[in-house]
Amino acid sequence: METVLQPRKLGGPGMLAFTLLFVAPSVLAFFTSYALVHRTFYFVSALWFVYEVSFYLGAAGAALAFAMMVVCVARRKIPLAFVWLMGIAAVAAVLFEWYASHIYRNAWSS
């Protein structure tokens, strides 16, 4: 008896979940930049580290989200509604990154 292996295929909800996973660091960068500006209740050094890491991961995640969206459009394997939602999430990631970089001006970069 032979074992039949069937490859797993991600549908629209799975691809959207991966896109949202890639967008999550951008959202974290946005909120930590806001918390860095309002320094009353938070430790600044820890927030600065979280901001820096999430900012760079968010930039890479936004690029991956756009790449996944382009691949899904090219393959035409998932419904168009999920492609639109992936595109909205990728654009939101870019906007969160832009707002995060403009809310908190990094003291180390010129």
Side-chain angles (χ1 to χ4, degrees), residues 89-101:
V91 168
V94 171
L95 289 176
F96 278 127
E97 287 284 317
W98 186 81
Y99 280 124
S101 66

Side-chain angles (χ1 to χ4, degrees), residues 45-76:
S45 62
L47 279 177
W48 179 77
F49 177 74
V50 171
Y51 169 75
E52 289 289 324
V53 170
S54 63
F55 185 77
Y56 291 119
L57 285 177
L64 285 173
F66 271 114
M68 270 185 23
M69 186 189 68
V70 168
V71 167
C72 287
V73 167
R75 288 188 181 175
R76 297 181 184 168

Side-chain angles (χ1 to χ4, degrees), residues 2-20:
E2 292 183 28
T3 305
V4 177
L5 297 176
Q6 294 180 352
R8 291 183 141 196
K9 295 181 181 177
L10 283 177
M15 295 302 280
L16 179 62
F18 272 129
T19 304
L20 292 176

Side-chain angles (χ1 to χ4, degrees), residues 15-93:
M15 295 302 280
L16 179 62
F18 272 129
T19 304
L20 292 176
L21 181 69
F22 292 143
V23 169
S26 299
V27 177
L28 184 63
F30 173 74
F31 286 119
T32 53
S33 68
Y34 183 78
L36 276 168
V37 172
H38 300 75
R39 299 177 180 196
T40 55
F41 300 113
Y42 307 106
F43 295 109
V44 176
S45 62
L47 279 177
W48 179 77
F49 177 74
V50 171
Y51 169 75
E52 289 289 324
V53 170
S54 63
F55 185 77
Y56 291 119
L57 285 177
L64 285 173
F66 271 114
M68 270 185 23
M69 186 189 68
V70 168
V71 167
C72 287
V73 167
R75 288 188 181 175
R76 297 181 184 168
K77 295 283 185 176
I78 65 172
L80 189 60
F82 287 107
V83 173
W84 275 99
L85 290 173
M86 289 170 61
I88 290 169
V91 168

